[in-house]
């Protein structure tokens, strides 16, 4: 069973919810806050990796002084 990042436009809350693909496709997942079934998928970018380490999310402005610059 996959875990989904879902946003509720009715109460503007965001939740991580374990649910089946069928439940998600048929909109049978209720919002834990308000009970609405109109949840939307939240898409997030995957982290970038450089030489086996996570790249600095602000590599242009950090000047390589952040903990990501190893």
């Amino acid at each position: 069973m996959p875990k989904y990042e879902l946003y509720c436009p009715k109460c503007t809350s965001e939740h991580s919810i374990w649910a089946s693909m069928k439940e998600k496709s048929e909109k049978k997942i209720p919002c834990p806050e308000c009970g609405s079934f109109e949840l939307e998928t939240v898409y997030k970018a995957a982290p970038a990796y450089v030489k086996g380490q996570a790249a600095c999310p602000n590599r242009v402005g950090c000047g390589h002084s952040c903990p990501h610059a190893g």
Side-chain angles (χ1 to χ4, degrees), residues 13-61:
S13 61
E14 190 173 315
H15 306 280
S16 295
I17 299 174
W18 293 94
S20 71
M21 291 169 38
K22 183 177 180 178
E23 287 176 307
K24 183 176 177 295
S25 67
E26 294 178 359
K27 293 196 172 265
K28 292 185 176 180
I29 305 170
C31 173
E33 296 283 326
C34 69
S36 171
F37 288 93
E38 296 304 315
L39 299 176
E40 300 172 356
T41 303
V42 176
Y43 296 98
K44 297 183 178 182
Y49 290 93
V50 178
K51 295 183 185 176
Q53 295 181 347
C56 176
N58 188 21
R59 63 181 167 257
V60 173

